[in-house]
Amino acid sequence: MPPHDPTLTACLQPTGPLRPTFCNVPEWAQVTLYVAGLLAIGIFAYGIYRHWRVWMAGQPGAPARNTGRWGERAGLVARYVLGQSKTLERRYAGLFHTGILWGFILLFIGTALATIDWDVFRLFFATRLLGGPFYLGYEAVLDTAGLVFTVGLLLAIWRRYVTAPHHVLGAWDFVIWSLVVVNVTGFVVEGLRLAIAPVAWGGYSWVGQGLANLVFAFGGAEFIQGPARSLHLWLWLLHAAAAPRRRWCSSRRSRSPTRCTWSRCRPTPSSRTSSPSEPGPRSSRSTSRTPSSSACRGSAS
Amino acid sequence: MSRLGELTWKQRLGVDSCVRCGRCETVCPAYMSGSPLNPKQIIAGLSDQLRLEVDRPLAIDGGDVVVGDGLLVTPDALWGCTTCMACVQACPAFIEIVDDIVDMRRYLTLSEGAPPGTSAATFKNMERAGNPWGYSPDDRFAWGADLDLPFAERGQHYEVLYWVGCSAAYDKRNQRIARSVVRLLREAGVRFAVMREESCTCESARRLGEEYLYQTAAQANVENLGAYTFDRVVAHCPHCFNTIRNEYPQFGGSYPVVHHSQLIDELVTSGRLHPAGGAGPRVAFHDSCYLGRYNGEFEAPRATLRAAGVDVVELPRSRAEGLCCGGGGGKMWFEAKVDKDVNVIRMEEALAARPDVVGVACPFCLTMLDSAAKSLGVDDVKVMDVSEVLVQAIDGPVSPAV
């Protein structure tokens, strides 16, 4: 490794385990990350604000069961949000849902810790949070969380697009794919980093180290110090850029609700032959459902 | 409710939380039967509409009218709902779908004056005669003419006030439920009375959006109940039970209310009822939505059956996941053409368990499943209330009213 390359000094951990921040990432890309990050926070806050406005435009007053009893309601949050006991009532869906949720929660905490490590501990206290045994545990937990997350996403994709029962059809959603991209690029970036700048404790990043071993097996030193570094940087950028987004409504060009996500999947008026006033035979009903579901899938573009 | 501006912030928060997972759709009996109702479509459609309208000054126009023929939510879809709560039970976002549907029904019935099918006549009967069929109020206790029924008197104290409800008061088949309950109360030596002024709770009317009729009836019933002294109200009808227990407190009538299966279970446990035991029939138990999902009582009717020495068979969809009989939400009172009626779907499911008897704990369930049995041409499997099964274990078959 050429020691004079400043972008690679960030990969070095000469004093023992220490999170290599911005390894192989030049300054322009770092600046891009911070600018894009602030922009993303702004968009996120605006999205929350829009939902807030949706709720608050309502009439005042809430049922008594939704007020007071803070302890009991906190328990319900623990049970249904953290414990996912409602989604787990359906085993397959509940399992991948819980995997995705907890993978996401742990990776969010991990990313937040990385920011605190680099932009708070390093800048303000001239020390580091993610070093030593704590950092090694951090790596092991996050690799596991990422794998659980990815497997959960693949199970979800299988159900949504392959087994595809009628009731899960709805909007074509970019979110699930962008989460796959984030996870997969995250692992590949980690693997390439461990190939470019190997460390003795790489095994704690066990998924990433596995990928690094593949790079060692199939690529020579020339590949590792050349194309692998470019690939690492571009995937790092993609990893950041693929952060999920969701459309507010499938189209805002038209005010008509039929342009929106779910309503698009309604049977067209001509196929709605089975209203109760003029009951259609059973076959017409089943045909009225099939085209609507294929229309949903067709709306993917 | 016909415009989104009329929703409370809590309802809007609920609708906005829909993730379109479709669990409501998979458990909805109306959707299963092929009615135009799809709870997912309603909530997801409203959710899209909310987001379209959010940038408009709702305070002025309240938003577009979304309920009506050809609009986002059609009347046919709304009238498909049996208010069975299966969708709310299944919803991982805890959206109160049934409340929203009933809210929109109120708009159709009260503002548009367009209740479904023949239900307008039913409302008139409830209003004039105090029962949905329009029979004479004087005949309300004809089912017990030979039983020397104790009518409540002012100044007397009763352990239990037995609320019979219209179905067992007038329906020839269901009168046997009331006779069984009286038989069991007497057997256990319970000091009980029935109330001469009893009149329909108009629960079906409320579920069909006729809030005015319901409130008038509730006030009258609460006033009448207030004249007597009793420890508890017992009702064998889960719809009456739910109304008196959970809705009458808003009208100033708070009483301890029990379902007859709960009282029977208690009487057996405390040793006041001694069923002979021995081998009873094989009974497939069908949960009532208003007793089970609404009030969380799944055990008492099963315990009642076990007390009769019955081998209780669980159906594939039972307890909190139980499938509706199709008779709730006012659906008893009008017909809508569907592919396959809910009661037939449920009865077939029950018959697949090869029972001698299909046990129920609700007179509406009894009527619905009985009629499904008839339309399926089944006559070797009886549909019986849990109290009838127990009386039969004590006495043999319950005699019909004279």
Side-chain angles (χ1 to χ4, degrees):
Chain A
M1 175 190 323
H4 56 269
D5 188 335
T7 60
L8 282 186
T9 46
C11 311
L12 302 174
Q13 304 173 46
T15 57
L18 187 68
R19 186 171 190 272
T21 307
F22 295 131
C23 164
N24 192 41
V25 175
E27 211 160 71
W28 63 264
Q30 298 183 23
V31 172
T32 308
L33 178 77
Y34 280 97
V35 172
L38 288 173
L39 203 67
I41 290 171
I43 293 170
F44 176 74
Y46 176 65
I48 296 291
Y49 164 74
R50 290 192 82 184
H51 279 284
W52 175 258
R53 283 214 323 176
V54 164
W55 310 332
M56 289 302 125
Q59 303 292 328
R65 63 181 175 279
N66 297 118
T67 56
R69 304 179 298 117
W70 290 100
E72 191 187 333
R73 284 160 67 211
L76 293 176
V77 170
R79 187 169 145 202
Y80 290 113
V81 180
L82 302 178
Q84 289 289 299
S85 68
K86 186 58 96 174
T87 46
L88 282 165
E89 284 173 9
R90 308 266 174 105
R91 196 174 301 170
Y92 183 89
L95 215 61
F96 73 64
H97 237 285
T98 310
I100 291 172
L101 175 78
W102 276 99
F104 212 143
I105 288 177
L106 291 171
L107 290 184
F108 173 76
I109 293 173
T111 311
L113 286 178
T115 309
I116 291 168
D117 171 54
W118 192 250
D119 294 327
V120 179
F121 273 64
R122 183 184 63 100
L123 284 184
F124 295 100
F125 305 112
T127 180
R128 295 289 297 275
L129 172 68
L130 297 176
F134 178 68
Y135 165 64
L136 295 180
Y138 167 93
E139 283 291 345
V141 168
L142 290 199
D143 265 36
T144 309
L147 193 67
V148 167
F149 196 163
T150 310
V151 170
L153 288 168
L154 295 178
L155 292 174
I157 284 169
W158 180 262
R159 182 153 169 279
R160 186 184 288 183
Y161 301 108
V162 183
T163 60
H166 178 270
H167 68 277
V168 302
L169 286 176
W172 172 270
D173 217 324
F174 184 64
V175 174
I176 197 162
W177 295 105
S178 62
L179 288 173
V180 171
V181 172
V182 168
N183 274 281
V184 171
T185 54
F187 279 130
V188 175
V189 164
E190 182 177 58
L192 288 169
R193 191 254 301 166
L194 288 169
I196 296 163
V199 284
W201 45 86
Y204 285 92
S205 313
W206 58 284
V207 180
Q209 186 62 50
L211 292 173
N213 293 342
L214 280 180
V215 177
F216 290 137
F218 295 103
E222 216 168 278
F223 170 76
I224 290 172
Q225 292 312 323
R229 282 188 56 187
S230 313
L231 187 63
H232 174 268
L233 175 59
W234 288 111
L235 285 180
W236 183 89
L237 287 165
L238 179 62
H239 178 71
R245 69 219 63 197
R246 188 184 197 292
R247 278 172 298 187
W248 176 254
C249 187
S250 73
S251 169
R252 303 211 65 246
R253 270 168 289 166
S254 160
R255 274 186 159 192
S256 157
T258 54
R259 298 298 304 159
C260 282
T261 47
W262 167 256
S263 316
R264 172 182 290 190
C265 307
R266 283 193 298 181
T268 54
S270 59
S271 66
R272 286 163 74 190
T273 50
S274 54
S275 73
S277 47
E278 9 166 30
R282 235 177 145 192
S283 55
S284 81
R285 174 154 182 98
S286 54
T287 52
S288 80
R289 277 182 193 173
T290 325
S292 69
S293 50
S294 56
C296 292
R297 288 200 237 192
S299 69
S301 55
Chain B
M1 189 276 283
S2 63
R3 301 163 193 267
L4 297 179
E6 294 163 26
L7 293 174
T8 66
W9 68 266
K10 172 64 179 38
Q11 285 174 303
R12 293 170 75 94
L13 176 61
V15 167
D16 192 42
S17 314
C18 177
V19 293
R20 286 115 166 112
C21 72
R23 287 189 184 194
C24 50
E25 180 187 308
T26 63
V27 297
C28 175
Y31 185 79
M32 263 171 233
S33 73
S35 114
L37 173 64
N38 180 344
K40 169 175 171 174
Q41 189 177 317
I42 288 188
I43 298 300
L46 293 179
S47 160
D48 280 344
Q49 182 72 14
L50 272 183
R51 291 170 193 184
L52 284 166
E53 287 185 1
V54 69
D55 297 323
R56 290 163 47 187
L58 281 184
I60 297 166
D61 69 357
D64 299 333
V65 173
V66 293
V67 183
D69 281 313
L71 300 179
L72 195 59
V73 182
T74 64
D76 291 340
L78 291 176
W79 299 128
C81 178
T82 67
T83 69
C84 76
M85 282 285 174
C87 54
V88 179
Q89 158 75 27
C91 179
F94 297 87
I95 303 169
E96 288 162 334
I97 305 167
V98 171
D99 290 1
D100 294 341
I101 287 177
V102 172
D103 236 358
M104 291 185 271
R105 284 177 164 193
R106 269 197 278 278
Y107 160 75
L108 288 174
T109 297
L110 293 180
S111 303
E112 294 286 287
T118 52
S119 59
T122 307
F123 296 156
K124 195 138 277 175
N125 290 336
M126 289 173 172
E127 193 182 347
R128 285 185 185 158
N131 68 77
W133 293 277
Y135 293 131
S136 164
D138 296 339
D139 293 340
R140 194 170 186 92
F141 291 97
W143 57 270
D146 59 329
L147 295 180
D148 190 21
L149 289 175
F151 288 98
E153 285 171 34
R154 286 162 204 253
Q156 295 285 317
H157 174 263
Y158 303 96
E159 252 184 281
V160 156
L161 186 101
Y162 176 30
W163 184 276
V164 181
C166 305
S167 185
Y170 292 105
D171 183 287
K172 280 273 176 268
R173 166 66 187 88
N174 290 347
Q175 287 174 347
R176 271 185 268 167
I177 305 175
R179 293 173 70 84
S180 304
V181 173
V182 168
R183 171 77 185 89
L184 292 171
L185 290 172
R186 289 212 160 119
E187 175 78 15
V190 176
R191 187 172 155 74
F192 76 101
V194 292
M195 189 171 80
R196 204 179 285 281
E197 302 90 332
E198 187 186 295
S199 180
C200 188
T201 60
C202 299
E203 183 265 352
S204 310
R206 178 175 229 194
R207 300 293 177 261
L208 289 172
E210 229 309 1
E211 188 71 11
Y212 177 76
L213 174 58
Y214 166 77
Q215 293 200 6
T216 312
Q219 273 154 11
N221 281 329
V222 166
E223 199 172 303
N224 287 329
L225 283 164
Y228 301 105
T229 316
F230 46 85
D231 297 335
R232 291 190 288 186
V233 177
V234 62
H236 65 254
C237 173
H239 296 263
C240 299
F241 163 73
N242 180 66
T243 302
I244 302 172
R245 180 182 190 220
N246 299 319
E247 299 180 359
Y248 278 8
Q250 297 149 25
F251 297 88
S254 294
Y255 334 93
V257 186
V258 287
H259 187 244
H260 72 323
S261 65
Q262 294 173 318
L263 182 66
I264 293 167
D265 183 28
E266 205 181 293
L267 294 172
V268 171
T269 311
S270 64
R272 288 173 74 179
L273 266 181
H274 311 276
R282 184 178 152 86
V283 179
F285 182 67
H286 160 84
D287 282 280
S288 144
C289 306
Y290 275 71
L291 182 63
R293 264 192 295 274
Y294 273 73
N295 288 289
E297 182 56 81
F298 303 106
E299 263 323 304
R302 289 173 169 80
T304 303
L305 288 173
R306 280 195 297 270
V310 155
D311 174 16
V312 182
V313 184
E314 291 295 342
L315 295 177
R317 289 180 272 207
S318 70
R319 296 179 187 263
E321 277 84 43
L323 176 64
C324 181
C325 70
K331 297 284 285 177
M332 279 290 287
W333 312 112
F334 64 97
E335 300 273 334
K337 286 277 168 56
V338 291
D339 296 340
K340 186 172 192 177
D341 285 311
V342 183
N343 55 344
V344 174
I345 298 176
R346 184 54 161 173
M347 193 62 189
E348 282 178 349
E349 187 167 298
L351 291 174
R354 309 224 153 276
D356 303 316
V357 169
V358 177
V360 296
C362 170
F364 285 178
C365 295
L366 198 151
T367 302
M368 294 305 286
L369 295 183
D370 222 17
S371 97
K374 285 196 184 83
S375 70
L376 288 168
V378 176
D379 49 15
D380 55 336
V381 177
K382 276 188 264 180
V383 185
M384 290 171 79
D385 186 82
V386 292
S387 63
E388 295 179 283
V389 177
L390 186 58
V391 168
Q392 191 169 303
I394 297 172
D395 292 343
V398 183
S399 57
V402 286

